[in-house]
Amino acid sequence: MLQETVQNVVDVINAGTYSDTFTAEVAWVPHTDNKDDDLKVFVWCDDANYNRETRCPDLKFSGTIKVAMRDRVNVDVQSDVTNKISLMQEIINQIGTVKTFAGGATFDSISWFTVYDNQALFEDSLFVSIFGMDIRSIV
């Protein structure tokens, strides 16, 4: 269920049309070389819970799926950062078009807790943005 749900999120993201070109990928350990200048979008599961409710004998899966974007930008050009924030919003909007993922999971909310990482931006000229989705499903 866990791997299938993460892959379903990747598939939904990759089915969208965006202002910049990328291919989202599953990355259980999202890691890149700071010399890599390509736009990257990673998806992974941050936490997972399985429990059995008293009225439902099936296991209920819930967890947090995270989506991160990383790209090199010119910090002196404000529109570079603004365009990446807009691209992340496009990804969030694409996910919002789906009521239920292929494996039956749904998302309750999206928390965009790192609109951009100041340290990465100013130290390495890297735009890094991360949001999390609260997912749930009956397995």
Side-chain angles (χ1 to χ4, degrees):
M1 178 54 139
L2 180 64
Q3 295 92 335
E4 179 183 46
T5 302
V6 171
Q7 185 60 54
N8 288 336
V9 172
V10 167
D11 294 343
V12 167
I13 292 171
N14 287 337
T17 303
Y18 305 101
S19 58
D20 204 345
T21 304
F22 65 89
T23 301
E25 58 188 67
V26 174
W28 296 107
V29 182
H31 175 74
T32 60
D33 182 345
N34 278 354
K35 296 174 186 164
D36 186 358
D37 291 339
D38 294 336
L39 172 61
K40 303 283 186 188
V41 175
F42 301 112
V43 181
W44 72 96
C45 184
D46 193 50
D47 63 67
N49 299 297
Y50 294 87
N51 62 50
R52 191 179 309 268
E53 296 180 355
T54 56
R55 295 179 291 174
C56 179
D58 294 328
L59 285 176
K60 182 176 181 179
F61 165 78
S62 62
T64 304
I65 305 294
K66 291 203 175 166
V67 177
M69 176 193 304
R70 179 206 173 278
D71 199 8
R72 186 157 307 281
V73 294
N74 182 343
V75 294
D76 295 327
V77 179
Q78 190 65 40
S79 62
D80 278 6
V81 176
T82 303
N83 290 341
K84 296 305 172 200
I85 291 171
S86 295
L87 180 58
M88 195 60 139
Q89 183 65 58
E90 292 171 29
I91 294 170
I92 290 170
N93 291 343
Q94 170 66 14
I95 291 171
T97 66
V98 176
K99 302 227 185 292
T100 304
F101 292 100
T106 61
F107 73 93
D108 293 324
S109 64
I110 293 177
S111 300
W112 194 1
F113 46 87
T114 305
V115 174
Y116 66 92
D117 181 330
N118 277 321
Q119 184 175 352
L121 189 61
F122 291 108
E123 287 182 8
D124 300 318
S125 296
L126 292 174
F127 176 85
V128 177
S129 183
I130 304 170
F131 68 83
M133 303 170 26
D134 294 328
I135 300 281
R136 63 187 164 96
S137 181
I138 299 289
V139 183

